[in-house]
Amino acid sequence: MKKYPVVFTLITLFILIVSGFLANDKFTWLLETFPVMLGLPILFFTYKKFPLTNLLYVLLLIHILILSVGGIYTYAKVPLGFWMQDLFHFQRNNYDKIGHFAQGFVPAILARELLLRTSPLKPGKWLAYIVVSICLAFSAFYELIEWWTALSQGSDADAFLGTQGDIWDTQSDMLFALIGAVTALFLLSKYHNKLLKKYRCIN
């Protein structure tokens, strides 16, 4: 569907505008949604020459929604996280783990698509290994960004850091990204291959 990039852009802008208006802490919202603001222009100005699969556009929208909801409330205060905390008797609000799962799940399909369409790699174990490695590297780099932001902004960045007193928060964040990446490859690789056939990168 050729309208997917346009629809994707309009929905993304709508989500950003609404979430920005509703955000309790504008600075935290800006930090949480910055990846969207950085990626949207790139996707918009390259879609004619390099349109993504419809699957990837849908996944990106879901990820954008997760980030924006986290930006509205801050991750430690998202109502869904409190509901999960009560239901499963968690010790903290774990909405951020949904975000980090998505941080592995969605980039896995993005990395997979870019590699299959721009490199000699073909579907298989090596592709899966490289995709998972990319997702782990991205997750680790994002944790470094959180750390650098906390160092430079002090207490103003506490909501963005979102450790909630958990000394293993960074490690568990990366674990959830790893689980997300592996899950995405396991569930979606075959369907993704079918969508990529039209780009003649898969026989």
Side-chain angles (χ1 to χ4, degrees), residues 2 26 56 62 72 92 99 156:
K2 295 182 178 180
K26 303 299 183 184
L56 192 46
I62 293 171
I72 291 173
R92 67 196 291 276
D156 290 342

Side-chain angles (χ1 to χ4, degrees), residues 59-72:
L59 291 177
L60 287 170
L61 277 177
I62 293 171
H63 198 184
I64 289 166
L65 185 59
I66 292 171
L67 291 173
S68 298
V69 170
I72 291 173

Side-chain angles (χ1 to χ4, degrees), residues 35-49:
V36 181
M37 299 178 188
L38 184 64
L40 181 60
I42 296 174
L43 293 177
F44 181 78
F45 289 110
T46 60
Y47 85 89
K48 287 186 177 180
K49 292 184 177 180

Side-chain angles (χ1 to χ4, degrees), residues 21-111:
F21 178 77
L22 296 175
N24 296 325
D25 183 337
K26 303 299 183 184
F27 179 67
T28 301
W29 173 83
L30 180 62
L31 292 175
E32 298 292 1
T33 58
F34 182 74
V36 181
M37 299 178 188
L38 184 64
L40 181 60
I42 296 174
L43 293 177
F44 181 78
F45 289 110
T46 60
Y47 85 89
K48 287 186 177 180
K49 292 184 177 180
F50 200 89
L52 304 176
T53 57
N54 295 346
L55 169 65
L56 192 46
Y57 281 120
V58 171
L59 291 177
L60 287 170
L61 277 177
I62 293 171
H63 198 184
I64 289 166
L65 185 59
I66 292 171
L67 291 173
S68 298
V69 170
I72 291 173
Y73 296 98
T74 75
Y75 275 84
K77 298 179 181 178
V78 174
L80 176 59
F82 287 128
W83 176 81
M84 292 165 54
Q85 186 176 3
D86 292 337
L87 181 64
F88 299 108
H89 305 291
F90 293 143
Q91 295 182 347
R92 67 196 291 276
N93 186 317
N94 279 318
Y95 180 81
D96 65 320
K97 302 311 175 192
I98 296 176
H100 285 282
F101 179 87
Q103 191 186 68
F105 194 100
V106 179
I109 301 303
L110 175 60

Side-chain angles (χ1 to χ4, degrees), residues 91-157:
Q91 295 182 347
R92 67 196 291 276
N93 186 317
N94 279 318
Y95 180 81
D96 65 320
K97 302 311 175 192
I98 296 176
H100 285 282
F101 179 87
Q103 191 186 68
F105 194 100
V106 179
I109 301 303
L110 175 60
R112 190 176 191 276
E113 183 157 326
L114 293 177
L115 288 172
L116 285 172
R117 292 175 61 183
T118 62
S119 79
L121 286 168
K122 299 298 180 183
K125 294 179 180 179
W126 276 111
L127 175 65
Y129 173 77
I130 292 171
V131 166
V132 170
S133 297
I134 289 172
C135 292
L136 271 177
F138 177 76
S139 178
F141 182 65
Y142 197 82
E143 294 299 327
L144 289 176
I145 292 175
E146 290 185 348
W147 175 52
W148 293 332
T149 304
L151 288 177
S152 63
Q153 300 299 323
S155 60
D156 290 342

